[in-house]
Amino acid sequence: MRREEMLRRVRERQRPWDIAVIGGGATGMGVAVDAAARGFDVVLVEAHDFGKGTSSRSTKLVHGGVRYLEQGNIPLVMSALKERGLLRQNAPHLVHDLAFVVPNYSWWEAPFYGIGLKLYDMLAGKYGFGASKLLSKEETLERLPSLEPEGLVGGVVYYDGQFDDARLLIHLAMTAADHGAALLNYCPATALLRDADGYVNGIHVRDEESGEELDLSTRIVVNATGVFTDSVRRMADPAADPLVVTSQGIHLVFDRSFLKGDTALMVPRTSDGRVLFVIPWHDHAVAGTTDTPLDAPSLEPKPLDEEIEFILETASRYLTRPPTRADVLAVYVGLRPLVKGEGKTSTLSRDHVIHVDDSGLLTITGGKWTTYRHMAEDCVDHAIVLGKLRDEPCPTRNLKIHGHLKKSTQLGNLEVYGSDAEAIRALAKDQLLAAPLHEDLPYIAAEVVWAARNEMARTVEDVLARRTRALFLNAGAASEMAEPVASLMAVELGRDEAWIEKQVQVFRALAEQYQVV
Ligand SMILES: Cc1cc2nc3c(=O)[nH]c(=O)nc-3n(C[C@H](O)[C@H](O)[C@H](O)COP(=O)(O)OP(=O)(O)OC[C@H]3O[C@@H](n4cnc5c(N)ncnc54)[C@H](O)[C@@H]3O)c2cc1C
C-alpha cells in the first residue's frame, strides 16, 4: 500500500466508483474488503489514520460475548461465535485461542457459570474453541497463579479468541488493497455531493497532507464512521435524528508479572454490574473495561479518574499483587457506537444496524469487532440493491486475510505480520535495522521502515500506536522511541529535520495522555 499511488488513482478516476466508504475502522474496512472482493470499484477515505478510532482500542477479544448471553441475546451470541470461528480460520496469524477462568468465591457460582458456559459452548457448535469445565481450587490457582486464594472455592474455564485489533485492521486494509480498493488515510470527507433529485452521489474530501480538495463521484456512499455516524448523516440532513449514543471504555496496561500463566481472568459481575477482564496481551497484562456514557465523541477521549480507580480497585480484589496507579504502563480509551434506545448504555444493543436516509446515504453502525465481516456482508448486500449494482455473491466467509499463515508462532515477535514477516526479516539483515528501538519493548527498526514503505504509516503516532502497539503497551517507552522512529520515517518519506522535531513533539504530548500520573 502506497499513499501516493492511491492518491494518483483517486485523482485520475474518470468514472464513478461503485462504492465509496467513509471511515477506516473495522466496519468501513470490512465493507471495503467485502466490496472489493466481490469485484466492485471501491474507494475508502479515513479522516485520520486507519484504525485511529475505536478499532484500535478494544479489549482485543474475538468473542461471542458471555455477557450478551446473560442478557438473553442468543442470536447475537451465535452469530458472533460463528464469526469468531471464521476469523480464526481466515487470519490464523492474528487470532488465537485463549483460556479464561471465572473464579468462584461462592458455592453457587460454579453451577451458575458452569451451566451458562456450557450453553456458550453449545451455541458455538462446530465453531467451538474448546469445552468449558469446572475447576477445583487447586486447578484454578494452577491456571491463574496470581489469583487471590482467600475464599476461593474453584473456577470455570472456557475458551474464546484474542487478537491484535490494529494489526488486523491494517491487514484488512492490505486485503482490500490486494483486491483493488483505493484507500486513503488523512483524508476526511467534508461534504456529501447530491444529484439533481437530492440523492447522495459522491463525497468531497480533503487531503490533509497537501490541502488538495477532491470530489469523488460514486453510486453508493457508505457511512461507517462509528461514534461519528450522526455527524456524517447531518452532512446530508442537518435535522437527522441521532442513531447512536456514545459510551466510553478504558483499559489499563500493566507489566506481565501481574498476571502469571497463560490464562485470562474474567470477572463476570463487577460492583457496577459489568464484566472485567484481565488478559495477557503482547507480554503485558491488560485490564478493562468501563462503560461511561458520553455526550460528545472525540478522537482522543480521556480516561476519567473514577474509571482508573474502578479498574484498579476491582483488579486488586482478585489479584494477589494489587496494582496501583504507579504500576500503570499505559491507559487507553475507546468509544462504543451504541445503537440508540432506552436504558443504561451497558444494556443498549450491541447488534449492528443498517440505516438508509432519504438522501440514499447508507449507514452501518453498532456491532462489534468480532462481527465486522458479517456486518460488511449485510451492508454490501444492501448497497447492491440500493445502488442497482450487479448482484455478486459475498466471498468473505473463506477469504484469507492478508498475512494469512497457519504456523506463525515460530516467527517470534514478528508473528503478527504473518507471511509479511519474511520481508521484515530480510530488511533486518541490515544490522542497523535489526536494532531494538527500546529495551522494554520488542520492536525493531525494520518494522518502522516496513510500515512507512508498505503500510501507509505517515506519522510517528501511526507507527507507535497502530503499526506496532508501543503506545498501548508502555506509553513512557513509546515516548522515548519517538525520536529514532521519526528519523527512520523521515528517510523513507523524504521529510526534513523540522518534520522530525515536530513529530517528536506532537507524539510526546499524545503519549502523556496515555500515562497515569
Ligand atoms: C472499550 C471497548 C472495548 C471493546 N472491545 C471489543 C472486543 O474485545 N471485541 C469486539 O469484538 N469488539 C469490541 N469492541 C467493539 C469494537 O471495538 C467496535 O465495535 C468497532 O471497533 C467499531 O468500529 P467502527 O469502524 O464502527 O468505528 P471506528 O473504529 O471508530 O471507526 C470509525 C472511523 O471513522 C473515521 N471518521 C469519522 N468521521 C470521518 C469523516 N468525516 N471522514 C472520514 N473518516 C471519518 C474515524 O476517524 C474513525 O477512524 C469494544 C469497544 C470498546 C469501546
Side-chain angles (χ1 to χ4, degrees):
M1 288 196 305
R2 298 216 164 77
R3 193 169 187 278
E4 297 72 22
E5 168 63 13
M6 298 287 186
L7 205 50
R8 186 192 59 72
R9 281 177 52 203
V10 170
R11 262 195 221 110
E12 289 176 2
R13 175 98 190 170
Q14 301 289 327
R15 287 176 299 122
W17 298 88
D18 292 324
I19 299 180
V21 183
I22 309 177
T27 308
M29 207 55 89
V31 172
V33 169
D34 184 303
R38 291 195 209 208
F40 293 123
D41 290 345
V42 185
V43 62
L44 176 147
V45 294
E46 162 55 49
H48 194 273
D49 182 31
F50 306 130
K52 165 75 178 182
T54 305
S55 298
S56 57
R57 300 154 185 270
S58 76
T59 311
K60 328 298 181 198
L61 301 181
V62 180
H63 62 160
V66 173
R67 188 158 56 95
Y68 315 131
L69 190 63
E70 210 186 324
Q71 291 169 0
N73 196 341
I74 303 283
L76 175 65
V77 176
M78 274 185 84
S79 147
L81 286 170
K82 178 179 169 193
E83 291 303 319
R84 180 187 73 165
L86 292 178
L87 194 49
R88 185 180 60 174
Q89 165 197 293
N90 296 331
H93 61 300
L94 284 175
V95 178
H96 303 282
D97 302 9
L98 183 64
F100 291 73
V101 164
V102 181
N104 302 153
Y105 288 92
S106 303
W107 67 267
W108 57 268
E109 288 177 313
F112 183 76
Y113 294 118
I115 291 168
L117 289 164
K118 275 284 165 236
L119 177 60
Y120 195 64
D121 295 346
M122 241 172 65
L123 293 174
K126 67 174 181 172
Y127 298 102
F129 273 29
S132 62
K133 75 173 190 169
L134 298 182
L135 302 175
S136 66
K137 177 177 176 174
E138 292 67 34
E139 287 168 330
T140 305
L141 288 171
E142 217 168 275
R143 283 181 175 268
L144 274 179
S146 316
L147 190 66
E148 176 55 58
E150 209 183 311
L152 185 73
V153 186
V156 189
V157 63
Y158 74 98
Y159 298 86
D160 244 325
Q162 185 186 37
F163 74 137
D164 181 329
D165 48 10
R167 177 48 50 190
L168 177 59
L169 201 269
I170 298 303
H171 280 182
L172 285 178
M174 293 169 100
T175 310
D178 293 343
H179 285 85
L183 314 166
L184 283 173
N185 51 2
Y186 296 100
C187 200
T190 53
L192 298 172
L193 311 177
R194 317 271 207 119
D195 67 13
D197 298 320
Y199 286 110
V200 169
N201 67 352
I203 52 180
H204 184 78
V205 303
R206 183 181 59 246
D207 173 11
E208 292 286 23
E209 292 195 352
S210 64
E212 182 181 359
E213 309 256 345
L214 292 159
D215 280 342
L216 318 183
S217 69
T218 179
R219 307 272 288 277
I220 283 289
V221 175
V222 172
N223 170 19
T225 50
V227 289
F228 301 97
T229 290
D230 291 319
S231 59
V232 171
R233 287 179 59 235
R234 287 187 184 128
M235 290 178 188
D237 174 9
D241 281 334
L243 206 59
V244 297
V245 292
T246 303
S247 153
Q248 167 163 308
I250 77 156
H251 292 85
L252 303 181
V253 181
F254 305 101
D255 186 86
R256 186 70 160 83
S257 57
F258 282 90
L259 185 73
K260 297 195 181 96
D262 293 328
T263 303
L265 163 66
M266 196 267 214
V267 178
R269 190 167 285 273
T270 58
S271 58
D272 73 344
R274 284 192 50 79
V275 169
L276 188 102
F277 292 100
V278 185
I279 56 169
W281 189 63
H282 288 326
D283 212 23
H284 288 69
V286 178
T289 178
T290 52
D291 200 328
T292 312
L294 278 198
D295 288 339
S298 77
L299 267 181
E300 269 309 336
K302 311 239 175 355
L304 302 179
D305 242 4
E306 52 264 37
E307 291 181 297
I308 297 173
E309 289 307 324
F310 172 77
I311 292 181
L312 288 174
E313 204 250 316
T314 311
S316 297
R317 277 197 225 154
Y318 292 88
L319 300 177
T320 42
R321 188 171 145 217
T324 66
R325 291 176 86 89
D327 297 312
V328 178
L329 296 175
V331 51
Y332 66 86
V333 188
L335 300 182
R336 294 177 193 86
L338 296 176
V339 180
K340 208 166 151 43
E342 301 296 323
K344 273 180 71 179
T345 52
S346 58
T347 59
L348 290 185
S349 175
R350 257 66 173 171
D351 286 328
H352 72 271
V353 290
I354 300 224
H355 178 90
V356 184
D357 280 290
D358 292 344
S359 62
L361 175 68
L362 181 58
T363 291
I364 174 153
T365 192
K368 40 197 225 153
W369 235 123
T370 308
T371 55
Y372 86 91
R373 191 212 62 82
H374 173 61
M375 292 167 68
E377 178 177 355
D378 199 5
C379 181
V380 177
D381 284 348
H382 277 77
I384 287 173
V385 176
L386 199 63
K388 301 188 183 73
L389 303 175
R390 58 185 193 278
D391 198 1
E392 296 285 352
C394 171
T396 57
R397 263 176 220 158
N398 296 308
L399 186 81
K400 288 181 179 162
I401 290 169
H402 186 98
H404 181 283
L405 195 66
K406 275 207 174 121
K407 292 201 170 65
S408 52
T409 42
Q410 82 285 359
L411 298 171
N413 292 331
L414 297 181
E415 185 184 355
V416 291
Y417 293 97
S419 57
D420 284 343
E422 209 176 308
I424 299 171
R425 277 186 174 166
L427 283 173
K429 284 197 177 128
D430 174 345
Q431 282 299 305
L432 287 176
L433 296 186
L437 292 163
H438 196 283
E439 61 186 5
D440 292 339
L441 290 169
Y443 305 115
I444 58 171
E447 291 174 77
V448 181
V449 172
W450 172 260
R453 280 186 200 167
N454 303 291
E455 296 180 344
M456 281 172 74
R458 309 298 294 175
T459 67
V460 167
E461 181 196 329
D462 298 348
V463 167
L464 289 174
R466 291 169 294 277
R467 304 309 183 279
T468 71
R469 307 313 308 271
L471 180 64
F472 286 71
L473 293 172
N474 187 332
S479 193
E480 287 164 18
M481 290 156 74
E483 208 162 337
V485 169
S487 301
L488 284 159
M489 292 186 80
V491 175
E492 294 303 316
L493 302 176
R495 310 287 197 228
D496 59 12
E497 275 302 318
W499 183 87
I500 296 178
E501 224 171 90
K502 181 85 185 150
Q503 281 291 311
V504 173
Q505 186 195 346
V506 169
F507 182 76
R508 288 196 173 146
L510 178 72
E512 269 179 36
Q513 288 185 42
Y514 285 67
Q515 284 164 293
V516 171
V517 281

